[in-house]
Short mmCIF file of all heavy atoms in Angstrom, two decimals:
data_model
loop_
_atom_site.label_atom_id
_atom_site.label_comp_id
_atom_site.label_asym_id
_atom_site.label_seq_id
_atom_site.Cartn_x
_atom_site.Cartn_y
_atom_site.Cartn_z
N LEU A 1301 -17.62 30.10 -38.62
CA LEU A 1301 -18.63 30.81 -39.44
C LEU A 1301 -20.03 30.60 -38.89
O LEU A 1301 -20.85 31.52 -38.87
CB LEU A 1301 -18.59 30.27 -40.88
CG LEU A 1301 -17.73 31.02 -41.88
CD1 LEU A 1301 -17.68 30.25 -43.18
CD2 LEU A 1301 -18.23 32.43 -42.11
N LYS A 1302 -20.31 29.37 -38.44
CA LYS A 1302 -21.65 29.05 -37.96
C LYS A 1302 -21.86 29.45 -36.51
O LYS A 1302 -22.94 29.24 -35.97
CB LYS A 1302 -21.90 27.54 -38.12
CG LYS A 1302 -22.04 27.10 -39.57
CD LYS A 1302 -22.41 25.62 -39.67
CE LYS A 1302 -22.69 25.26 -41.13
NZ LYS A 1302 -22.72 23.80 -41.32
N GLY A 1303 -20.80 29.94 -35.88
CA GLY A 1303 -20.92 30.31 -34.47
C GLY A 1303 -20.94 29.11 -33.55
O GLY A 1303 -21.36 29.19 -32.41
N GLU A 1304 -20.48 27.96 -34.05
CA GLU A 1304 -20.42 26.77 -33.20
C GLU A 1304 -19.10 26.76 -32.42
O GLU A 1304 -18.13 27.35 -32.86
CB GLU A 1304 -20.50 25.51 -34.07
CG GLU A 1304 -21.85 25.30 -34.73
CD GLU A 1304 -21.81 24.17 -35.76
OE1 GLU A 1304 -20.76 23.53 -35.91
OE2 GLU A 1304 -22.85 23.97 -36.42
N PRO A 1305 -19.09 26.07 -31.27
CA PRO A 1305 -17.83 26.03 -30.51
C PRO A 1305 -16.73 25.27 -31.26
O PRO A 1305 -17.01 24.29 -31.94
CB PRO A 1305 -18.21 25.30 -29.21
CG PRO A 1305 -19.51 24.63 -29.48
CD PRO A 1305 -20.18 25.36 -30.59
N TYR A 1306 -15.52 25.76 -31.14
CA TYR A 1306 -14.36 25.08 -31.71
C TYR A 1306 -13.23 25.30 -30.74
O TYR A 1306 -13.27 26.23 -29.93
CB TYR A 1306 -14.02 25.67 -33.09
CG TYR A 1306 -13.65 27.13 -33.03
CD1 TYR A 1306 -12.32 27.54 -32.78
CD2 TYR A 1306 -14.61 28.12 -33.17
CE1 TYR A 1306 -12.00 28.87 -32.68
CE2 TYR A 1306 -14.29 29.46 -33.07
CZ TYR A 1306 -12.98 29.83 -32.83
OH TYR A 1306 -12.65 31.17 -32.72
N SER A 1307 -12.20 24.47 -30.80
CA SER A 1307 -11.06 24.81 -29.95
C SER A 1307 -9.80 24.95 -30.77
O SER A 1307 -9.48 24.12 -31.61
CB SER A 1307 -10.88 23.81 -28.81
OG SER A 1307 -11.03 22.51 -29.29
N THR A 1308 -9.12 26.05 -30.52
CA THR A 1308 -7.87 26.33 -31.20
C THR A 1308 -6.85 25.27 -30.79
O THR A 1308 -6.89 24.77 -29.67
CB THR A 1308 -7.36 27.74 -30.86
OG1 THR A 1308 -6.13 27.96 -31.55
CG2 THR A 1308 -7.12 27.93 -29.37
N GLU A 1309 -5.97 24.92 -31.72
CA GLU A 1309 -4.96 23.91 -31.39
C GLU A 1309 -3.72 24.55 -30.74
O GLU A 1309 -2.85 23.85 -30.25
CB GLU A 1309 -4.54 23.16 -32.66
CG GLU A 1309 -5.68 22.35 -33.26
CD GLU A 1309 -5.30 21.60 -34.52
OE1 GLU A 1309 -4.12 21.60 -34.92
OE2 GLU A 1309 -6.21 21.01 -35.12
N LEU A 1310 -3.66 25.87 -30.79
CA LEU A 1310 -2.50 26.56 -30.20
C LEU A 1310 -2.98 27.82 -29.48
O LEU A 1310 -3.09 28.88 -30.08
CB LEU A 1310 -1.49 26.93 -31.30
CG LEU A 1310 -0.26 27.73 -30.87
CD1 LEU A 1310 0.56 26.99 -29.83
CD2 LEU A 1310 0.61 28.09 -32.06
N PRO A 1311 -3.27 27.70 -28.19
CA PRO A 1311 -3.66 28.91 -27.45
C PRO A 1311 -2.51 29.89 -27.45
O PRO A 1311 -1.34 29.49 -27.36
CB PRO A 1311 -3.94 28.38 -26.02
CG PRO A 1311 -4.05 26.89 -26.16
CD PRO A 1311 -3.21 26.51 -27.34
N MET A 1312 -2.81 31.17 -27.59
CA MET A 1312 -1.76 32.19 -27.66
C MET A 1312 -0.98 32.27 -26.35
O MET A 1312 -1.57 32.39 -25.28
CB MET A 1312 -2.37 33.56 -27.97
CG MET A 1312 -2.81 33.72 -29.42
SD MET A 1312 -1.42 33.70 -30.59
CE MET A 1312 -1.64 32.12 -31.37
N PRO A 1313 0.33 32.18 -26.42
CA PRO A 1313 1.13 32.29 -25.19
C PRO A 1313 1.22 33.74 -24.73
O PRO A 1313 0.96 34.66 -25.51
CB PRO A 1313 2.50 31.79 -25.62
CG PRO A 1313 2.57 32.08 -27.08
CD PRO A 1313 1.16 32.01 -27.61
#
Side-chain angles (χ1 to χ4, degrees):
Chain A
L1301 266 173
K1302 290 185 174 166
E1304 291 171 3
Y1306 62 87
S1307 44
T1308 179
E1309 295 180 5
L1310 176 60
M1312 285 294 108

